Amino acid sequence: MITFSHLNKTFYSRAGKVEALKDVSLTIEKGDIFGVIGFSGAGKSTLLRMANLLERPDSGTVTVDGKELTGMSERQLIPIRRRIGMVFQQFHLLESRTVAQNIEIPMVLAGMEASERAARREELLKFVGLGDKAEVYAGRLSGGQKQRVGIARALALSPSLLLCDEATSALDPKTTEDILALLKKINRELGVTILLITHQMQVVQRICSRVAVMEQGRIAEQGTVLEVFGSPREEITKSFVRSIIQDEVPGSIQAIIRADGRGGRIEKLKFVGNTVNEPVIAEIARQEGIEVNILCASVQEMQDSVMCVFLVRLLGSETAISKTEALIDRMGVLRTEVQPA
Ligand SMILES: Nc1ncnc2c1ncn2[C@@H]1O[C@H](COP(=O)(O)OP(=O)(O)OP(=O)(O)O)[C@@H](O)[C@H]1O
């Protein structure tokens, strides 16, 4: 549905030259919730703004629903942009106007009749859970309520694509969860494709089906959330995984291991998708001459699946440990030996 093909964008400012996008290619399928994750300055906003050509690439093409936008004039882009909603981190509401007036702005600009606007507005307010707030001034709302208004406004003209620019970054964790649930509902019930950018791993983990990891203007990795975060290849992806999953032996446990002098081997076992159902630990424990101690474990839900990481210590003879490692590998569990510090 959206294809970014070989996009390049360089900014020149007094601070110098910045290559914000370097040969970026991505396809976002209809119905996806696609996340682009990266640290500040990675080029995420620049990429998002290409989806409706708020920013034009120096080279490369942007195609939305089969139409190549890059060759279009500003005038030709008007009807296309109407089918693309946008949600912002700082909401961008008119604070001295009511919720109803804010939501109606795109409808007024599109020339809709007052009665039609009112009907659509009521429908949207109900959908986003603000049925009783139509006449409240936007400036008086909480952050989460403001974002709901921002989302209702973005949905006003029934877009097929919603662009979310760090939509939850200004919100507390509970409100973030509520807004993510609303985005998911929009995707599921209204069939709206969502492209979001974020630096928060939780956002991708909670609602995205696919993800691209961006670093210094390039796409470092992309794929399903489970593929990318289940078996990260690049260091940047690994650092995002570490933000939600404990995969290093905590210092206090390392101290205990050093002090007891029993040696053995520490292994990181990662269970993704189906391997979660396998009785791996039980099988290991049944190995002759092996004692298995679980040092720590963490479980994270990823979309409709789970990812578990266990740090275990295998105690036994060198032969018994090697046999056990071979068994773990046969069971399809991702295993990495961890060197204690
Ligand atoms: N209009 C501009 N003029 C000059 N430089 C720009 C402009 N827009 C973006 N940049 C630079 O391009 C790079 C990528 O910026 P971009 O905003 O796309 O990154 P980001 O990943 O969205 O980061 P953030 O979350 O901090 O916005 C940054 O170095 C930024 O300073």
Side-chain angles (χ1 to χ4, degrees):
M1 148 168 227
I2 316 177
T3 308
F4 297 118
S5 186
H6 302 291
L7 295 180
N8 287 289
K9 180 76 183 180
T10 302
F11 292 108
Y12 296 90
S13 69
R14 255 181 286 160
K17 172 180 159 185
V18 179
E19 289 179 87
L21 296 182
K22 296 179 220 167
D23 196 28
V24 169
S25 295
L26 276 187
T27 297
I28 294 120
E29 300 291 345
K30 201 171 169 54
D32 262 359
I33 303 187
F34 195 107
V36 177
I37 189 166
F39 296 120
S40 184
K44 307 179 298 293
S45 303
T46 308
L47 179 64
L48 191 79
R49 290 161 60 81
M50 297 260 163
N52 53 7
L53 280 207
L54 285 179
E55 198 76 71
R56 281 182 183 266
D58 298 331
S59 60
T61 56
V62 178
T63 309
V64 177
D65 286 339
K67 296 189 184 89
E68 193 188 311
L69 309 195
T70 7
M72 292 186 181
S73 64
E74 285 298 305
R75 202 186 162 81
Q76 287 171 314
L77 284 171
I78 293 171
I80 308 272
R81 286 186 176 138
R82 280 197 186 138
R83 300 281 294 148
I84 304 177
M86 202 155 179
V87 179
F88 306 91
Q89 177 177 0
Q90 297 300 341
F91 325 123
H92 295 335
L93 301 182
L94 298 176
E95 302 238 326
S96 57
R97 301 282 176 85
T98 64
V99 167
Q101 287 169 328
N102 269 282
I103 295 177
E104 283 190 42
I105 293 170
M107 303 188 235
V108 171
L109 294 175
M112 273 167 73
E113 295 287 333
S115 58
E116 203 186 345
R117 290 200 309 260
R120 178 76 183 135
R121 181 190 77 206
E122 289 312 306
E123 195 179 20
L124 287 164
L125 279 169
K126 227 157 100 196
F127 188 83
V128 301
L130 292 177
D132 55 343
K133 294 280 187 282
E135 298 312 321
V136 175
Y137 285 99
R140 310 203 77 158
L141 300 174
S142 69
Q145 290 170 331
K146 283 182 185 173
Q147 195 54 293
R148 285 174 191 273
V149 178
I151 290 171
R153 181 186 55 190
L155 294 177
L157 301 179
S158 308
S160 56
L161 171 65
L162 193 63
L163 306 176
C164 300
D165 186 350
E166 298 277 6
T168 56
S169 297
L171 306 174
D172 63 55
K174 165 74 175 79
T175 313
T176 293
E177 284 293 316
D178 296 344
I179 295 296
L180 292 179
L182 177 59
L183 291 176
K184 188 127 194 170
K185 178 170 130 175
I186 289 166
N187 173 257
R188 216 179 34 233
E189 293 182 18
L190 307 179
V192 175
T193 305
I194 298 180
L195 172 59
L196 63 86
I197 61 168
T198 184
H199 63 273
Q200 296 172 301
M201 189 56 195
Q202 291 85 339
V203 171
V204 173
Q205 185 191 354
R206 294 295 292 173
I207 64 166
C208 294
S209 44
R210 299 183 74 81
V211 64
V213 183
M214 270 195 97
E215 184 178 32
Q216 293 181 358
R218 291 190 192 280
I219 304 291
E221 292 192 49
Q222 59 169 307
T224 67
V225 172
L226 211 57
E227 276 163 14
V228 172
F229 292 121
S231 316
R233 284 182 281 111
E234 303 294 327
E235 196 43 49
I236 175 150
T237 317
K238 290 179 186 165
S239 69
F240 278 115
V241 173
R242 258 181 245 125
S243 70
I244 54 159
I245 275 216
Q246 169 75 45
D247 70 347
E248 279 168 8
V249 187
S252 53
I253 295 179
Q254 292 200 24
I256 296 171
I257 292 170
R258 272 197 303 272
D260 77 7
R262 295 177 70 202
R265 203 156 315 156
I266 300 174
E267 308 274 1
K268 177 168 78 181
L269 308 182
K270 193 183 278 176
F271 304 76
V272 184
N274 286 339
T275 57
V276 170
N277 297 325
E278 303 287 327
V280 177
I281 302 289
E283 290 287 334
I284 301 175
R286 268 203 286 271
Q287 286 289 294
E288 220 175 284
I290 277 290
E291 180 186 332
V292 48
N293 292 342
I294 297 173
L295 303 176
C296 56
S298 81
V299 182
Q300 292 291 331
E301 274 195 295
M302 295 245 175
Q303 281 297 293
D304 301 326
S305 193
V306 283
M307 181 163 113
C308 309
V309 173
F310 277 70
L311 283 166
V312 297
R313 186 186 191 191
L314 302 179
L315 292 157
S317 68
E318 213 24 66
T319 319
I321 291 179
S322 300
K323 270 174 111 176
T324 308
E325 287 175 338
L327 171 75
I328 296 168
D329 295 344
R330 278 202 304 279
M331 294 184 87
V333 173
L334 299 166
R335 178 182 66 82
T336 329
E337 197 179 322
V338 179
Q339 298 301 336

